[in-house]
Amino acid sequence: MEIFKQKQGDSLLISVEGELDASSSIDMDKAIEATINEGIYKLLINCEKLSYISSAGVGVFVSYVEDIKNKNGKIVFYKMQANVLSVLQILGLDKILSIAETEEEAKLILNEG
Amino acid sequence: MEIFKQKQGDSLLISVEGELDASSSIDMDKAIEATINEGIYKLLINCEKLSYISSAGVGVFVSYVEDIKNKNGKIVFYKMQANVLSVLQILGLDKILSIAETEEEAKLILNEG
Amino acid sequence: MKAKLKAECSKEKLKYIRGFVKESIEILEATDLEKEQIVLAIDEVCANAIIHGNQTNDTKQIILEIDVTETSLKVDISDIGLYDPEELAGRNKDIADIVKDKQKGGMGLKLVYSIMDNVEYYIKNNMSICSLTKVLK
Amino acid sequence: MKAKLKAECSKEKLKYIRGFVKESIEILEATDLEKEQIVLAIDEVCANAIIHGNQTNDTKQIILEIDVTETSLKVDISDIGLYDPEELAGRNKDIADIVKDKQKGGMGLKLVYSIMDNVEYYIKNNMSICSLTKVLK
Ligand SMILES: Nc1ncnc2c1ncn2[C@@H]1O[C@H](COP(=O)(O)OP(=O)(O)O)[C@@H](O)[C@H]1O
Ligand SMILES: Nc1ncnc2c1ncn2[C@@H]1O[C@H](COP(=O)(O)OP(=O)(O)O)[C@@H](O)[C@H]1O
């Protein structure tokens, strides 16, 4: 798995490529923790090249949802592949997490209300 | 494996796609046998989409080389992938079979001498 | 076909295990998405066996046994950590509570139970075995 | 890692066996071409076990056992056909003679011996076993 970060104003765009499993999720956890420690609470996650996610990968994102919400931030995913989306759907997380189709839509959701 | 045949004057262009192994080589054998039975002894084999060959696949071509030569025909392969070419090289067949890089080169070899 | 894999208990091995499983279940007459979900379910159980069953001690091994036909699948995952299957009940926790409690874990078995038809835990020859089955309709 | 596969003796199974082998040897630190050649060598021995060892009788099975690390590979292929290893000597026939004799076969073992470091045939528990090894430099 590879993580690419790009600062955009007060938000951070994270592009994740490859497979996010029990092994690689540790790096993703560090990446998000570092972002929050920098005081950034608006996260866009580009999932276009994320080919696989297991519960450990999902868990990383889930564990920061509350903290981010408490800081009036948001975490928005977009361009998810069908298999990755299906994992969130099975868990019922598609109704709890913010999931957009395109980058534009994701940015709208990130900056609304 | 899939075989596509295309008649070009007195020669036949055979495009082979996929994996040519002990199982699929039977179909290739039938295709070449049928061609020879039709009296066509000039064969161009487009290997661009041939992703795998085992000795059984090689054997099909090898078994017709003599008959085709005796009829003043020729069998010319082109656009071979590296792994397929390496199989012929290991067997020393790269010096016995006619192997071209491009279709143009293959046609030149087919119609020379 | 029957496939068997012994792998050292390290998380880095999970991606090879998935590749192995993917190929082993190739003959199943299921959609790509269904096959990807089956690979996920098996990945989750293997991750548990490596992490919880063997504390990622890579001198230990887990064993994966796959029995597959065009329409059916049975997978046994064995690890030496002897646990009480009753303790795996965490899978019933509500997803909203998992989010609220900022949990990183506790979602794996939810996926396994959703994707597979049957999930069974038992102990045999001093090994903990998780047995997964699925029959295609 | 150790991987094991039991497959019915039908030629249609060869492509699944190759997929399985490809994934099983993924951790080998070799080039893609080297890995493809190793898959080929194993395919050749499996094809022989299915065709010559078991006459493509799909009620019979061949067994493939792979023991792989980053730098070494050992593969055992077992079939129930009991043959005399001495009879496999056909692999020494000159390739030009194979062409002249219009042979369709007799090239498989040439590939196997070229690609692998060591090839051994022996009989154990009433099974014929072909044992292949390779060590990466
Ligand atoms: N093979 C195992 N050995 C010991 N405990 C296990 C095993 N598999 C699962 N468990 C227990 O069940 C719990 C729930 O598993 P799971 O839903 O996969 O979530 P996670 O592993 O992410 O915590 C684990 O936290 C662990 O305590
Ligand atoms: N597992 C086996 N059981 C019986 N005979 C075998 C086995 N493997 C190889 N042989 C014999 O060795 C010969 C040479 O094998 P090979 O070089 O692979 O060529 P091919 O199988 O194409 O004839 C075969 O034709 C067969 O007679």
Side-chain angles (χ1 to χ4, degrees), chain B residues 14 32 41-45 60-62 64-66 68-69 73-77 96-99 109-110:
Chain B
I14 296 180
I32 298 190
Y41 304 105
K42 285 186 170 184
L43 296 181
L44 280 175
I45 316 285
V60 169
F61 298 116
V62 161
Y64 292 106
V65 165
E66 282 293 300
I68 286 175
K69 205 166 74 179
K74 210 173 241 172
I75 177 162
V76 186
F77 303 84
I96 296 178
L97 302 176
S98 301
I99 303 168
I109 298 176
L110 191 71

Side-chain angles (χ1 to χ4, degrees), chain C:
Chain C
M1 309 224 289
K2 283 188 187 175
K4 184 171 170 176
L5 184 74
K6 274 190 204 172
E8 294 81 32
C9 287
S10 107
K11 292 194 235 177
E12 285 75 52
K13 287 290 187 304
L14 286 168
K15 84 181 163 99
Y16 299 111
I17 297 175
R18 287 195 299 274
F20 174 91
V21 170
K22 180 168 181 278
E23 288 303 327
S24 300
I25 66 167
E26 190 59 34
I27 63 166
L28 265 186
E29 284 162 1
T31 64
D32 283 349
L33 185 62
E34 284 174 307
K35 287 184 188 170
E36 284 166 338
Q37 292 184 342
I38 291 169
V39 170
L40 170 66
I42 298 171
D43 185 36
E44 295 291 347
V45 176
C46 290
N48 281 346
I50 289 172
I51 299 165
H52 304 299
N54 289 286
Q55 291 75 43
T56 64
N57 175 344
D58 69 5
T59 64
K60 304 265 190 296
Q61 296 196 313
I62 60 160
I63 301 170
L64 201 72
E65 288 173 278
I66 300 177
D67 198 338
V68 62
T69 70
E70 278 74 8
T71 55
S72 72
L73 177 69
K74 179 170 183 294
V75 185
D76 285 354
I77 297 110
S78 317
D79 75 72
I80 54 146
L82 297 175
Y83 54 85
D84 179 356
E86 294 297 313
E87 285 178 13
L88 306 182
R91 69 184 174 91
N92 287 323
K93 183 163 177 176
D94 199 83
I95 193 77
D97 291 329
I98 288 178
V99 177
K100 224 170 269 150
D101 293 345
K102 305 176 190 177
Q103 276 183 227
K104 286 190 207 298
M107 287 170 283
L109 289 177
K110 279 184 191 294
L111 291 169
V112 178
Y113 279 85
S114 299
I115 294 166
M116 304 304 289
D117 289 343
N118 194 44
V119 182
E120 243 172 79
Y121 284 90
Y122 59 93
I123 286 173
K124 198 172 132 179
N125 301 332
N126 254 358
M127 298 283 275
S128 293
I129 300 171
C130 173
S131 190
L132 309 174
T133 49
K134 190 164 178 91
V135 176
L136 298 180
K137 276 109 224 169

Side-chain angles (χ1 to χ4, degrees), chain B residues 35-50:
Chain B
T35 306
I36 288 181
N37 287 343
E38 279 178 51
I40 298 174
Y41 304 105
K42 285 186 170 184
L43 296 181
L44 280 175
I45 316 285
N46 179 352
C47 302
E48 188 171 9
K49 293 180 179 159
L50 177 64

Side-chain angles (χ1 to χ4, degrees), chain B residues 4-106:
Chain B
F4 301 92
K5 291 178 166 196
Q6 197 186 319
K7 226 164 167 176
Q8 301 194 331
D10 62 344
S11 67
L12 188 83
L13 170 63
I14 296 180
S15 296
V16 47
E17 300 193 0
E19 302 184 301
L20 192 51
D21 69 357
S23 178
S24 57
S25 62
I26 298 159
D27 289 332
M28 180 54 85
D29 196 38
K30 284 189 198 139
I32 298 190
E33 198 184 20
T35 306
I36 288 181
N37 287 343
E38 279 178 51
I40 298 174
Y41 304 105
K42 285 186 170 184
L43 296 181
L44 280 175
I45 316 285
N46 179 352
C47 302
E48 188 171 9
K49 293 180 179 159
L50 177 64
S51 56
Y52 180 81
I53 196 164
S54 74
S55 71
V58 174
V60 169
F61 298 116
V62 161
S63 68
Y64 292 106
V65 165
E66 282 293 300
D67 288 345
I68 286 175
K69 205 166 74 179
N70 291 340
K71 295 284 188 178
N72 289 316
K74 210 173 241 172
I75 177 162
V76 186
F77 303 84
Y78 67 94
K79 285 200 184 155
M80 254 182 208
Q81 293 181 20
N83 60 328
V84 173
L85 182 61
S86 84
V87 176
L88 300 184
Q89 284 168 336
I90 294 172
L91 292 170
L93 281 167
D94 54 324
K95 296 187 186 65
I96 296 178
L97 302 176
S98 301
I99 303 168
E101 304 235 325
T102 64
E103 184 170 343
E104 295 69 48
E105 196 193 325

Side-chain angles (χ1 to χ4, degrees), chain D residues 2-115:
Chain D
K2 285 189 185 172
K4 185 170 169 178
L5 183 74
K6 275 191 203 170
E8 295 80 33
C9 287
S10 110
K11 291 194 234 176
E12 285 75 53
K13 288 288 188 302
L14 286 168
K15 83 179 162 99
Y16 298 111
I17 298 175
R18 288 195 299 275
F20 174 91
V21 170
K22 181 168 180 276
E23 289 304 326
S24 300
I25 66 166
E26 190 59 35
I27 64 166
L28 265 186
E29 283 163 2
T31 64
D32 283 348
L33 184 62
E34 283 174 306
K35 287 184 189 171
E36 284 166 338
Q37 293 184 342
I38 290 168
V39 170
L40 170 66
I42 298 170
D43 185 36
E44 295 290 348
V45 177
C46 290
N48 281 345
I50 288 172
I51 299 166
H52 304 300
N54 289 287
Q55 290 75 43
T56 65
N57 175 343
D58 68 5
T59 65
K60 303 264 189 298
Q61 296 196 312
I62 61 161
I63 300 170
L64 200 73
E65 287 173 278
I66 301 177
D67 197 338
V68 62
T69 69
E70 277 74 9
T71 56
S72 74
L73 177 69
K74 180 171 182 294
V75 185
D76 285 354
I77 297 109
S78 316
D79 75 74
I80 55 146
L82 297 174
Y83 53 86
D84 179 356
E86 294 297 314
E87 285 177 12
L88 306 183
R91 71 186 172 90
N92 288 323
K93 185 164 177 176
D94 198 84
I95 192 78
D97 291 329
I98 288 178
V99 176
K100 224 172 268 149
D101 293 345
K102 305 177 190 177
Q103 275 182 229
K104 285 191 209 295
M107 286 169 285
L109 289 177
K110 278 185 191 295
L111 291 169
V112 178
Y113 280 85
S114 298
I115 294 166

